[in-house]
Amino acid sequence: ETGVTQTPRHLVMGMTNKKSLKCEQHLGHNAMYWYKQSAKKPLELMFVYSLEERVENNSVPSRFSPECPNSSHLFLHLHTLQPEDSALYLCASSQDMVTNYGYTFGSGTRLTVV
Amino acid sequence: QKEVEQDPGPLSVPEGAIVSLNCTYSNSAFQYFMWYRQYSRKGPELLMYTYSSGNKEDGRFTAQVDKSSKYISLFIRDSQPSDSATYLCAMSGGSGAGSYQLTFGKGTKLSVIP
């Protein structure tokens, strides 16, 4: 399997639930990212990991908690979300953090908070 | 003022038409300019990448960057129904922390009608 794989593809969760999104890349990249894509808004960078270390947290609420156990896997743990958190969550990877192009995106997890 | 402005459309054209997609930006430090294509229920995929000003051609696609006007364009010649997707511009560059981060436009939804 190649590229960036995200699971699940769809997720519906209540505001009191705890769930996790998973991302796996098979490209040998050293940097991984979480983005949020909402309707009629630009992609919003949430977190950046480089060699398994978090290097960026763009003022994301604490109800979103990332985890990068190794350079191939990235998780986004979710708890007590709000309806406005419903969006498409995209994982991406790149060769390294300073690569200004060549991001490879996964197909995303469509999250609905009810 | 938003950093990157992109008309969200939707844009509908007949098959075979020339399509012009555009973005304007305000940050003069941007040096790397990209176009991503996103099909429905998929993640964005890199289509074209340009460094600094100038043109770049790849088959039916031409990317143009005019840094003096802070304006970038993507032209699609002989458009096909398979070109129907949302096109996202993205850019990065400059110096300092966060200069590697991509800043995206909202995306333009294109439909090519057979």
Side-chain angles (χ1 to χ4, degrees):
Chain A
E1 194 171 346
T2 59
V4 178
T5 304
Q6 288 188 247
T7 55
R9 291 297 307 273
H10 301 274
L11 178 63
V12 179
M13 60 185 289
M15 293 167 61
T16 58
N17 291 160
K18 287 185 181 181
K19 296 286 184 183
S20 294
L21 310 184
K22 179 182 176 183
C23 175
E24 185 173 0
Q25 58 100 357
H26 309 273
L27 301 166
H29 288 168
N30 294 318
M32 296 186 77
Y33 312 82
W34 278 117
Y35 278 88
K36 176 183 179 183
Q37 187 174 35
S38 305
K40 302 189 189 306
K41 293 177 71 175
L43 266 74
E44 300 172 56
L45 179 63
M46 300 176 71
F47 301 103
V48 180
Y49 275 83
S50 177
L51 296 171
E52 300 148 46
E53 285 193 26
R54 189 192 312 179
V55 294
E56 199 75 38
N57 176 348
N58 277 5
S59 303
V60 179
S62 60
R63 57 186 184 269
F64 295 91
S65 175
E67 179 190 2
C68 187
N70 55 62
S71 60
S72 299
H73 293 87
L74 187 65
F75 295 90
L76 188 62
H77 303 300
L78 316 171
H79 65 97
T80 60
L81 294 191
Q82 304 298 311
E84 61 263 28
D85 296 322
S86 299
L88 181 68
Y89 287 85
L90 291 162
C91 173
S93 70
S94 63
Q95 185 59 51
D96 51 57
M97 201 175 66
V98 296
T99 296
N100 287 286
Y101 61 97
Y103 282 34
T104 302
F105 283 87
S107 293
T109 295
R110 174 69 61 184
L111 173 67
T112 303
V113 181
V114 298
Chain B
Q1 183 183 11
K2 296 185 179 66
E3 280 211 274
V4 179
E5 298 273 6
Q6 183 177 11
D7 186 341
L11 179 63
S12 185
V13 302
E15 183 176 353
I18 296 174
V19 176
S20 173
L21 305 168
N22 312 292
C23 288
T24 59
Y25 62 95
S26 57
N27 187 347
S28 58
F30 287 147
Q31 300 176 57
Y32 302 89
F33 304 91
M34 289 137 272
W35 286 95
Y36 282 83
R37 178 175 61 194
Q38 185 174 19
Y39 290 116
S40 179
R41 291 185 290 279
K42 293 286 188 182
E45 59 175 330
L46 182 66
L47 191 62
M48 299 282 287
Y49 156 76
T50 310
Y51 171 70
S52 194
S53 284
N55 294 359
K56 187 171 185 177
E57 190 172 319
D58 184 1
R60 296 185 294 111
F61 298 89
T62 299
Q64 287 187 352
V65 175
D66 182 349
K67 289 190 70 180
S68 61
S69 302
K70 298 190 182 68
Y71 187 88
I72 70 170
S73 301
L74 177 70
F75 297 95
I76 308 174
R77 291 183 299 280
D78 187 25
S79 55
Q80 302 295 309
S82 59
D83 296 327
S84 298
T86 296
Y87 290 80
L88 306 163
C89 63
M91 45 200 80
S92 67
S95 59
S99 61
Y100 62 89
Q101 291 186 19
L102 297 185
T103 300
F104 284 87
K106 292 182 180 179
T108 300
K109 187 171 183 179
L110 171 67
S111 295
V112 180
I113 311 301

